[in-house]
Amino acid sequence: MPGQIGTSIRANTRKIHSGDREADAIDAAGLAQARKRFALLGRDVSQLSDDQLRNLVGELERRFRDEALTSAAQAATIILDGVKADRWRILVGADAHKIDEMVRHSPERAYDIAFFDEFARAAGWTERLSLENPELRPPS
C-alpha cells in the first residue's frame, strides 16, 4: 500500500481515466464515477449538485497534493539516498513505516477493512480521510 506523497497523482489519474489528459474539468462520466466511488466509501453525495461535487473532488485532489506529510522532493531524496546506500528496503514517510510495522506484526489482517481503519488512525490519516469517510473523523 503506497503512502501519500505530495503529488498530483490523484488529479492526473482522473484525467487519464477520463481519456482527456489536458482537461481539468470533470465531465458527466467523471461525475458519475465520482458518485459511485463516494457511495462505495459510504458517503452520500446524492444531494450535491454537479458543481458541488466537482468542487469536492477538486478539494480532495488539492489536499492530496498540498497537505501530504512528505513532499515529492523529500520522497525523491529519501529514495535516492537509500539507493546510494544500497539499502534493500526503502520506506518513504511515517505512514510507510507505520504500515510496515503493522503488517509485520499481523500479516494476516493486512487485507481487512478494519486493519486499514486502524492504520489510517495510527498514521494520522483521519483528517485527510474525513471528507471521504465521515466515520473516521476525530471526535469533536
Side-chain angles (χ1 to χ4, degrees), residues 82-131:
V83 170
K84 288 176 189 173
D86 202 26
R87 287 192 210 113
W88 67 279
R89 288 178 70 244
I90 302 168
L91 301 175
V92 177
D95 50 357
H97 287 273
K98 180 46 95 175
I99 198 163
D100 181 68
E101 171 191 323
M102 290 176 68
V103 169
R104 286 170 181 269
H105 182 262
S106 186
E108 306 82 29
R109 293 191 56 233
Y111 301 96
D112 297 339
I113 295 294
F115 178 91
F116 178 79
D117 290 345
E118 286 175 35
F119 161 69
R121 286 184 187 94
W125 283 13
T126 54
E127 302 244 350
R128 285 175 188 75
L129 293 176
S130 66
L131 283 175

Side-chain angles (χ1 to χ4, degrees), residues 31-58:
L31 288 170
Q33 186 177 41
R35 289 185 191 283
K36 285 180 188 175
R37 286 191 177 146
F38 279 110
L40 288 172
L41 293 168
R43 175 87 190 263
D44 180 14
V45 294
S46 62
Q47 301 303 312
L48 295 181
S49 70
D50 288 352
D51 284 340
Q52 288 172 318
L53 184 58
R54 281 185 186 97
N55 289 338
L56 176 59
V57 169

